[in-house]
Every structure is written in C-alpha cells, then in structure tokens.
Amino acid sequence: MNSRKIYISVVLFFFCLIQGRAQQVLTLENAVKLALENNFEIKIATNDLQIEKTNVASGNAGMLPKATATIVDNNGVQNLSQTRSDGTVTKLDNAKSNNITYGVGLDWTIFDGFKMFAKMDQLKELQKLGEVQLKMAILTKISDVNSTYFDLVQQQQEMTALDSTLVLSKQRLTLAQNRFSIGKASKLEVLNAQVDLNTDTALLLKQKELYANTKISMNQTLARSISEDFKVRNEIEVDNKLDLKELYDLSKKQNPSLEAQVINKRVAELQLKQVKANRYPNVKLNTGYNFNETQSGLGFTTQSSARGLNYGFSASLNIFDGFAQKRNEKIAQLQLNNASIAIEQQNAVLESQVATAFQSYQTNLQLIDLEIKNEAIAKQNLDITVEKFKIGTITTFEFRTAQLNYLTAKVRNSNAHLQAKLSEIALKELAGNLSL
C-alpha cells in the first residue's frame, strides 16, 4: 500500500513538473531577446548590412589597378601557294600555322575627375543606410513583440474576469435550483440562470480561442515552434511621464525613417558628383609583359618570337556625346531635389504621427483613472447585489445587470491600460528609443 502511494506521488510530481514547464512564464525581456536572435526579418536585414559593409572597398570604388593575365592560341591548316617576284611558284598542302600570345597587363586609372572618391563616399553612405534599415527592422520587431505581449496580458486579464463571472453564474444557478426545490422560486428563474451560465461559458471559450491564436502569432514572431506553450505576466505598467517636446526632439534625431531619408539625400549628392566627374579627362597608366610566338609552314620566315615589357598612358575627354552629359546631370539634380523634398515630407509626417499618438496617449491615461474608479464602484455594487440576491430582496435581472456591469468595468479598465501602453510603445518607436 505504501509503495502504491509512493508511486502515485512520483507520478503526480512529474505531471506537475511537466505542466509547469509547459506553462512557463515568458517575460517581455526574454521575448524581445528571442525575437532579436531568431526573427527572420532581422536576419535578412543583418545580412543586407553585411553586403553593404563588404561593398565598401577601394577596388569597388575604382581606386586600385586591374591586372589581367591573357593567353591566345590560334592554329590553322591550309593549302598555300606563293608566287615570288622572279616567277617562282611554291606550293604546300596541309600547311600548319600557329600563333600563341600570352602575358600580363596592368591598367590603372589615376584620374577620373575625382569620381572614384565620390563613389567611395557613396559606398560608405550606403553602409550607413544599411545600418539604419537594420535599426528600423529591430525597432519594428521590438514594437511588434511589445504590442503582442501586452495584448496577451490584457486577454489573460479578460479571461480572469470572465472566469470570475462564470463562478458567480454557477453560484446563481445553484441558488436558483435550491430555491426551486423548496418552492421559493419558479422554474423560469432556473432556466434564466442556466442560459446566462451558458452565455458566460461561451464567452470564456471564445476568449480562450483568441488567447491561443495570439500565442501562436507570438511564437511565429519569435521564430520558434508555434506549439510552444507559455504564460505572460499579469501587469501592464504604463509610463505616464512622456513629454511631447522631448519626443519631438528625439524623433528628429533618432527616427530611422527620417535618418534613411537624410542618407538618401547624401547618396543623391554623391551621385550627382560622379555624373559631373565625366566632364573631366580620364587618365590611365598601362603596362604589361607579353610573349608572342608564330610558326608558319611556308614563307620567308617560318618561325618568329618576341617577348618584353610595354608601358604607356592614355587620356580621354568627352567633347560631345549628343548632350547625354547635360541630360544625366539634370536627372541627377532632379533626384537630389526629390531627396530634399522627401526629407521635408518625412518631417511633416513624423510631426503628425507624434502629435496624434501623444493625443491618444493622454486620452488613454485619463481613461485609466476613470476606469479604475468605475471598476471599484462596479465591484462595490456587485458585492451588495450578491448579498441581497442571497436573501431574495432583488430580482435576477438586477443581479445579472450588476454582474455584467462589473465584467464590463473590469474589461474596460484592462483595455484602457492596454491602449495607453500601445500609445506609449508607438511614441517611443517614433522617437527611436524603444529599448528592451
């Protein structure tokens, strides 16, 4: 008998251990950390940045010489006939000929109107753009994780509220059945209590479904198994000290979308500089060492060879190209103008977004204070109603009204906290300082 008890205790221990692991608490910090490590969009943005870093090279900007090794081997079989000036005719069928040339050449552009330097600066700016795009991807993902996490917290709170309502509905049904059994209540009261209990059960089931689906979405964002089970913390703490002017100033300095537009303007400036460089002469140095050998089946010279060093320079200057240079400069200048306009547009959009989000933030903070008071009043009203219902001094309709009012108050309070938190997250994301 004792062995059986021990066996059952061990089984229950491991069952509780498994359940505890299956329902591990996922903190917001761990969720963000997992997203930054595993999320696919961030991995792609990281690789894109690595590409831009790799492109920042002197050779890619055209500053370094190019060395090329070549080999050419030409062979032929021909029927030859030669007539000399003295009238002698020489013929040879299937005469073989061979010419082989190989060597190493070096070509180096030493001046191109400073185009290569503008190109190098442009590559560095594109690397900065990649860094900003990675920052944007990280900020967006942190925002998504925060929003989903606190949505789960709110849903968890709503399930708790619905579960409390369900307990009251069960107590009401039991009380109605007891009163009916002793003849103090009608069958209608029992049926109404049963209908309300079924309604509350259905609401809880739908809320559990929504909660489960949101957890799947969170697991997908964290790039882990969608069946991974977890719980979230049960509090939503809102930062109620955000300042509008400070948010404006931070957004002007740190917002990644605005940063990207500023870098795009710099890239357009350097592109115009490269186009204008085509007005200057292009000077190249060249040198090489070559070997040439020729064999012929017929002729005065049947074999010759040469080897040696060659060197020199070349210079070219565009004099007229059908006005292509002027056209290209005009296009580059218009692209630069567009980049300047894009900065102004992004500034205007950013100001509007910050102002709108801050207005929502302030309204939601006021709603939090209101809904906290409202929930307290609804709870007090429900407690009084329950006691009166137990002694039969109020109707079931009044009881149900108080019950639903308390449920609504709790849900509205929870939702007010969520909306305020979402406004806070949006503001910090716009300001570029949304951190772990």
Side-chain angles (χ1 to χ4, degrees):
M1 189 70 179
N2 290 336
S3 299
R4 185 180 178 186
K5 287 182 178 180
I6 293 173
Y7 173 77
I8 293 173
S9 299
V10 170
V11 170
L12 288 174
F13 171 76
F14 281 105
F15 177 77
C16 293
L17 183 63
I18 292 172
Q19 285 294 102
R21 287 182 177 178
Q23 282 288 312
Q24 62 176 330
V25 176
L26 177 68
T27 64
L28 178 60
E29 292 78 9
N30 287 338
V32 171
K33 182 180 178 182
L34 285 171
L36 296 182
E37 290 175 353
N38 302 330
N39 187 262
F40 299 118
E41 288 89 345
I42 293 178
K43 287 182 177 180
I44 291 172
T46 302
N47 287 337
D48 288 340
L49 174 58
Q50 193 59 42
I51 291 172
E52 299 300 342
K53 286 182 177 180
T54 305
N55 278 329
V56 181
S58 300
N60 196 25
M63 294 180 173
L64 300 180
K66 295 181 180 179
T68 307
T70 59
I71 181 170
V72 180
D73 186 8
N74 290 319
N75 298 277
V77 179
Q78 297 174 320
N79 296 326
L80 300 177
S81 176
Q82 293 181 349
T83 302
R84 296 185 176 91
S85 58
D86 59 1
T88 305
V89 177
T90 303
K91 294 183 179 182
L92 180 64
D93 292 336
N94 298 322
K96 295 181 179 180
S97 62
N98 171 259
N99 178 265
I100 182 169
T101 302
Y102 57 89
V104 177
L106 185 141
D107 186 75
W108 191 2
T109 300
I110 60 171
F111 182 75
D112 60 355
F114 305 106
K115 183 177 181 179
M116 64 181 74
F117 298 101
K119 178 66 174 177
M120 187 64 177
D121 290 340
Q122 189 181 55
L123 291 173
K124 291 177 181 179
E125 292 299 323
L126 289 174
Q127 178 184 333
K128 292 179 183 178
L129 183 60
E131 292 170 353
V132 169
Q133 289 171 340
L134 175 59
K135 176 185 174 182
M136 191 183 304
I138 291 174
L139 271 176
T140 301
K141 200 49 57 183
I142 292 177
S143 176
D144 291 344
V145 171
N146 272 266
S147 300
T148 306
Y149 188 90
F150 288 110
D151 188 20
L152 283 170
V153 174
Q154 192 274 335
Q155 291 180 31
Q156 202 165 262
Q157 292 174 348
E158 191 165 340
M159 280 195 301
T160 301
L162 288 168
D163 192 56
S164 300
T165 300
L166 194 63
V167 171
L168 284 177
S169 295
K170 288 179 180 179
Q171 292 176 354
R172 175 190 164 196
L173 177 61
T174 300
L175 185 60
Q177 289 173 334
N178 291 338
R179 292 172 64 181
F180 174 73
S181 64
I182 61 175
K184 288 189 176 183
S186 66
K187 183 66 175 178
L188 182 61
E189 182 177 330
V190 176
L191 294 176
N192 285 333
Q194 183 66 62
V195 168
D196 291 338
L197 175 61
N198 292 343
T199 300
D200 295 339
T201 303
L203 289 173
L204 181 58
L205 288 174
K206 294 297 293 183
Q207 186 60 40
K208 286 182 177 180
E209 177 191 5
L210 178 61
Y211 182 68
N213 289 337
T214 308
K215 287 204 292 185
I216 291 173
S217 178
M218 173 65 91
N219 282 328
Q220 183 182 9
T221 301
L222 302 183
R224 63 181 188 174
S225 173
I226 59 173
S227 60
E228 187 83 23
D229 200 8
F230 63 92
K231 295 172 72 175
V232 294
R233 297 194 182 278
N234 205 40
E235 307 87 18
I236 299 179
E237 296 181 2
V238 181
D239 183 357
N240 59 0
K241 297 181 180 180
L242 297 183
D243 180 73
L244 180 59
K245 184 180 182 305
E246 183 181 351
L247 290 167
Y248 271 136
D249 293 340
L250 285 173
S251 66
K252 299 294 183 182
K253 297 176 183 178
Q254 300 179 169
N255 183 268
S257 297
L258 184 58
E259 285 182 288
Q261 295 297 347
V262 173
I263 294 173
N264 283 331
K265 181 185 177 183
R266 179 60 179 157
V267 170
E269 290 173 346
L270 292 168
Q271 184 62 36
L272 176 60
K273 192 173 182 179
Q274 292 178 65
V275 172
K276 287 184 175 180
N278 292 327
R279 289 185 175 274
Y280 294 89
N282 190 293
V283 181
K284 294 182 179 181
L285 295 179
N286 56 79
T287 184
Y289 190 87
N290 296 298
F291 175 84
N292 181 274
E293 181 178 339
T294 302
Q295 293 180 350
S296 176
L298 185 65
F300 291 104
T301 303
T302 59
Q303 183 176 356
S304 66
S305 63
R307 68 182 65 188
L309 180 70
N310 61 76
Y311 55 89
F313 78 93
S314 64
S316 61
L317 177 64
N318 177 30
I319 297 176
F320 181 74
D321 59 359
F323 303 108
Q325 177 65 25
K326 185 177 180 181
R327 186 167 56 251
N328 291 336
E329 287 183 14
K330 184 177 181 180
I331 291 172
Q333 183 62 57
L334 288 171
Q335 290 173 336
L336 177 57
N337 294 343
N338 282 343
S340 299
I341 294 171
I343 292 176
E344 295 178 9
Q345 181 185 34
Q346 187 61 43
N347 269 315
V349 169
L350 196 56
E351 287 182 5
S352 175
Q353 289 176 330
V354 171
T356 302
F358 192 78
Q359 182 60 53
S360 298
Y361 167 75
Q362 287 186 312
T363 301
N364 288 322
L365 288 180
Q366 294 173 354
L367 285 173
I368 286 177
D369 294 336
L370 179 63
E371 296 301 343
I372 289 175
K373 296 175 183 177
N374 193 40
E375 182 182 339
I377 294 171
K379 179 65 168 65
Q380 184 179 6
N381 182 55
L382 178 63
D383 291 341
I384 295 172
T385 302
V386 169
E387 294 303 319
K388 287 187 175 181
F389 183 74
K390 287 179 180 179
I391 60 177
T393 58
I394 62 171
T395 65
T396 56
F397 175 77
E398 291 173 310
F399 177 86
R400 183 61 176 174
T401 300
Q403 184 186 21
L404 292 179
N405 285 341
Y406 178 61
L407 172 63
T408 301
K410 282 188 69 68
V411 172
R412 285 172 55 180
N413 184 17
S414 175
N415 192 58
H417 278 80
L418 173 62
Q419 294 305 317
K421 191 64 181 179
L422 294 179
S423 299
E424 174 200 329
I425 293 168
L427 284 169
K428 290 182 176 180
E429 182 182 3
L430 289 170
N433 67 337
L434 183 61
S435 62
L436 295 178

